Amino acid sequence: AQSVTQPDIHITVSEGASLELRCNYSYGATPYLFWYVQSPGQGLQLLLKYFSGDTLVQGIKGFEAEFKRSQSSFNLRKPSVHWSDAAEYFCAVVLDSSYKLIFGSGTRLLVRP
Amino acid sequence: EPEVTQTPSHQVTQMGQEVILRCVPISNHLYFYWYRQILGQKVEFLVSFYNNEISEKSEIFDDQFSVERPDGSNFTLKIRSTKLEDSAMYFCASNEGLMNTEAFFGQGTRLTVV
């Protein structure tokens, strides 16, 4: 079945440690790829996006993501996590010209002091 | 910076009542969307709207739901007869509709049906 998978429901890291959140998709063609962040009770903020070209994309707040076609993955990374990064992170794809987003189930990031 | 605005931020309604959630998309955007997020779950697509008509809707978007762009700036989601399971955060989004552009989301309306 076509889907966006975020295999980790929760991840806990220590402040200052590196972070990688996983995202895989299962669609025939390469979709447009996005990462959104949602702080508690807040809306969705776009961290970064991939449409084409360079497979390593830089986003806001020091985040980056790498598109790997062979693995159908678009993992989100940050070299050093800050306490303010604690939030829910959603991977999402766009498959067609309607630009409708299909979201993964999210990964909740907890940051230990 | 232009933004999508949604009102109200929180609405409590009794089961069976009608609610209208309001959104003002970014002014030059052409595609408008409603998404829903039940507490603790993922964000789900409800409906997309383009050129003054629904372009796509999900299975969730049944006859209880309708959307409208009444005056060229507002974009509304109406739920005719609310059920307990309609309790969720509802997000409005808009997109320019050009190649390689992303959707911008509002802050959401938390709907609580009691």
Side-chain angles (χ1 to χ4, degrees), chain B residues 89-105:
Chain B
M89 183 77 98
Y90 288 82
F91 292 107
C92 174
S94 68
N95 186 302
E96 280 184 280
L98 301 175
M99 288 272 297
N100 298 354
T101 58
E102 72 269 22
F104 290 81
F105 282 80

Side-chain angles (χ1 to χ4, degrees), chain A residues 85-108:
Chain A
D85 293 324
E88 184 105 23
Y89 290 80
F90 291 97
C91 179
V93 306
V94 161
L95 297 175
D96 56 38
S97 58
S98 75
Y99 296 96
K100 171 190 76 183
L101 285 156
I102 301 170
F103 285 85
S105 53
T107 297
R108 180 164 298 279

Side-chain angles (χ1 to χ4, degrees), chain A residues 36 38 49 98-101, chain B residues 33 35 37 56 98 102-103:
Chain A
Y36 284 86
Q38 184 182 34
K49 59 198 178 190
S98 75
Y99 296 96
K100 171 190 76 183
L101 285 156
Chain B
Y33 311 85
Y35 292 84
Q37 185 184 31
E56 188 173 352
L98 301 175
E102 72 269 22

Side-chain angles (χ1 to χ4, degrees), chain B residues 5-41:
Chain B
T5 56
Q6 290 184 243
T7 55
S9 56
H10 192 182
Q11 177 144 5
V12 181
T13 189
Q14 289 202 322
M15 192 168 54
Q17 295 297 303
E18 174 183 287
V19 295
I20 297 176
L21 309 184
R22 302 181 191 279
C23 170
V24 179
I26 295 172
S27 61
N28 65 329
H29 285 191
L30 301 178
Y31 284 84
F32 315 114
Y33 311 85
W34 284 101
Y35 292 84
R36 180 182 81 176
Q37 185 184 31
I38 295 172
L39 186 64
Q41 298 187 22

Side-chain angles (χ1 to χ4, degrees), chain A residues 12 14 25-26 35 39 41 50 56 70-72 77 80 87 89 95 97-98 105 107 111:
Chain A
T12 301
S14 297
Y25 63 90
S26 58
W35 276 98
S39 297
Y50 172 78
L56 184 64
S70 61
Q71 298 176 19
S72 297
R77 300 195 295 246
S80 178
Y89 290 80
L95 297 175
S97 58
S98 75
S105 53
T107 297
V111 181

Side-chain angles (χ1 to χ4, degrees), chain A:
Chain A
Q2 297 183 329
S3 65
V4 180
T5 303
Q6 293 180 248
D8 303 304
I9 299 173
H10 294 103
I11 282 188
T12 301
V13 299
S14 297
E15 191 168 14
S18 64
L19 171 71
E20 182 168 28
L21 303 182
R22 295 183 289 165
C23 174
N24 293 90
Y25 63 90
S26 58
Y27 297 98
T30 299
Y32 295 160
L33 298 156
F34 305 83
W35 276 98
Y36 284 86
V37 61
Q38 184 182 34
S39 297
Q42 299 297 307
L44 296 160
Q45 183 181 24
L46 180 69
L47 284 176
L48 46 74
K49 59 198 178 190
Y50 172 78
F51 295 112
S52 64
D54 193 345
T55 55
L56 184 64
V57 294
Q58 302 297 319
I60 62 171
K61 304 185 181 188
F63 285 93
E64 66 178 28
E66 185 171 13
F67 167 57
K68 292 185 177 180
R69 186 188 306 274
S70 61
Q71 298 176 19
S72 297
S73 69
F74 189 57
N75 294 348
L76 181 72
R77 300 195 295 246
K78 186 170 184 177
S80 178
V81 168
H82 188 262
W83 64 266
S84 60
D85 293 324
E88 184 105 23
Y89 290 80
F90 291 97
C91 179
V93 306
V94 161
L95 297 175
D96 56 38
S97 58
S98 75
Y99 296 96
K100 171 190 76 183
L101 285 156
I102 301 170
F103 285 85
S105 53
T107 297
R108 180 164 298 279
L109 174 65
L110 304 172
V111 181
R112 277 192 298 257

